[in-house]
Amino acid sequence: MQITGGKHRGKYLKTTASPKVKITARRIRESLFRILFRKVGARRFLDLCAGAGTVGIEAISRGALIGTFVERSAKMCNFIRKNLQSCGIKEGHGEIYEMEAMPFLKRMTKRRRFWDLVYFDPPYEMDYNEVLKYFEKGALVSPNGTLAIEHHAEMFFPKNIGVMKRWKVVVRGETAISFYERKI
């Protein structure tokens, strides 16, 4: 797995070979950042259900100020740490939370933390609705911020999720990304 653009372009990242882990494909990452390229620089990026942290590290490579990685697996969090180190990303630019998405959302909502870009890539069998209820109210996504949801191409999300309004859907093979913007 290789970084596709930015400062760390071409660097290889470590990940597991487990078939249980769904890795965001190179063409999906390239499509994501082709669409978000003007929104990444000097912004805060949240990689929710981060896996090995590939998408968040891509964001840092492309100029994101800070990458926050949320992953429930200790093994995958270890991969994120190693990948940050191998890319030479300083400690203050990447923060890792080893926890489930829902407890993280609850904690950060109470703390009133916001990110400019949120990338949500859960296992496809996860119940998306529970997490999306947080985004309905604008939790975690800063005003005019973007929420990108990676999902199976056959899944469909509504045009509006509370204060979040969908502005684009990209389909590449069996994978899709739905883009939402938080309206003030």
Side-chain angles (χ1 to χ4, degrees), residues 134-148:
Y134 274 86
F135 295 118
E136 279 180 359
K137 301 169 192 144
L140 304 182
V141 182
S142 61
N144 295 317
T146 301
L147 166 65

Side-chain angles (χ1 to χ4, degrees), residues 147-161:
L147 166 65
I149 306 168
E150 182 178 325
H151 54 91
H152 195 278
E154 294 178 2
M155 291 179 76
F156 182 78
F157 294 101
K159 185 155 180 74
N160 294 311
I161 301 174

Side-chain angles (χ1 to χ4, degrees), residues 12-80:
Y12 286 93
L13 302 178
K14 296 175 180 4
T15 190
T16 182
S18 171
K20 293 179 182 178
V21 177
K22 176 180 66 69
I23 297 167
T24 301
R26 179 185 187 103
R27 62 192 163 98
I28 299 297
R29 289 182 279 132
E30 288 171 341
S31 294
L32 172 73
F33 288 106
R34 203 173 300 119
I35 292 165
L36 296 178
F37 78 99
R38 291 184 192 267
K39 296 180 179 230
V40 176
R43 303 278 168 53
R44 296 173 306 247
F45 190 94
L46 172 61
D47 192 349
L48 195 56
C49 301
T54 311
V55 176
I57 292 172
E58 283 269 4
I60 294 170
S61 178
R62 293 165 186 263
L65 189 60
I66 186 168
T68 303
F69 303 86
V70 179
E71 175 54 49
R72 67 181 177 185
S73 162
K75 181 179 179 180
M76 297 311 288
C77 284
N78 196 32
F79 280 120
I80 296 169

Side-chain angles (χ1 to χ4, degrees), residues 102 127-139 161:
M102 285 307 296
D127 179 15
Y128 285 68
N129 293 324
E130 190 178 10
V131 171
L132 294 180
K133 285 181 184 172
Y134 274 86
F135 295 118
E136 279 180 359
K137 301 169 192 144
I161 301 174

